[in-house]
Amino acid sequence: MRPRRAEADDLERLSLQTRADGVRFLGINTRDRDRAAAQSFVRAHGLGFPSLHDPNGELLLRFPPALLNPQAIPSTLVIDRRGRIAVSIGGAVTDEELRPLLARVVEEES
């Protein structure tokens, strides 16, 4: 299984488990050039969180390069309730790695 596919399954599971804590997920798909392929990926993995189609990487370029390197895809950002980037992870992440980081940000916001 390719890393982003495994990661998508982990993120969907974590999204469902943390929703009651106010955690929301948003994906940005830069890999699939074709919108139909991007939609197929969402359906195949049963993603319940939104996934934006960004084949040219325009959305990624809006983030500060020090926090989101467009060459380090997949990447994960955790944004707090005030809209600040609390955590930036370059490369694939598992739910076991992400869960404590989310818990810390949720705690800080309580």
Side-chain angles (χ1 to χ4, degrees):
M1 185 179 298
R2 294 184 355 203
R4 77 177 181 136
R5 296 192 185 286
E7 184 181 46
D9 295 339
D10 281 350
L11 293 177
E12 174 58 20
R13 186 172 35 261
L14 190 55
S15 171
L16 293 172
Q17 292 170 350
T18 59
R19 189 163 186 81
D21 294 324
V23 175
R24 300 295 181 267
F25 284 68
L26 171 69
I28 300 177
N29 183 330
T30 60
R31 297 255 172 128
D32 292 312
R33 296 285 171 217
D34 179 58
R35 186 175 302 276
Q39 291 168 337
S40 177
F41 180 84
V42 168
R43 279 191 308 275
H45 293 280
L47 300 182
F49 57 85
S51 181
L52 306 177
H53 184 236
D54 186 29
N56 298 321
E58 293 172 16
L59 293 173
L60 294 184
L61 293 176
R62 294 182 184 180
F63 290 93
L67 295 175
L68 181 64
N69 179 349
Q71 302 302 316
I73 301 299
S75 292
T76 301
L77 299 177
V78 176
I79 301 171
D80 69 16
R81 288 191 175 124
R82 289 177 261 178
R84 298 175 305 181
I85 297 173
V87 179
S88 175
I89 303 167
V93 64
T94 66
D95 58 343
E96 291 88 11
E97 295 166 325
L98 191 54
R99 184 180 310 278
L101 300 173
L102 292 175
R104 189 185 79 217
V105 172
V106 167
E107 265 183 38
E108 290 173 359
E109 295 296 314
S110 298

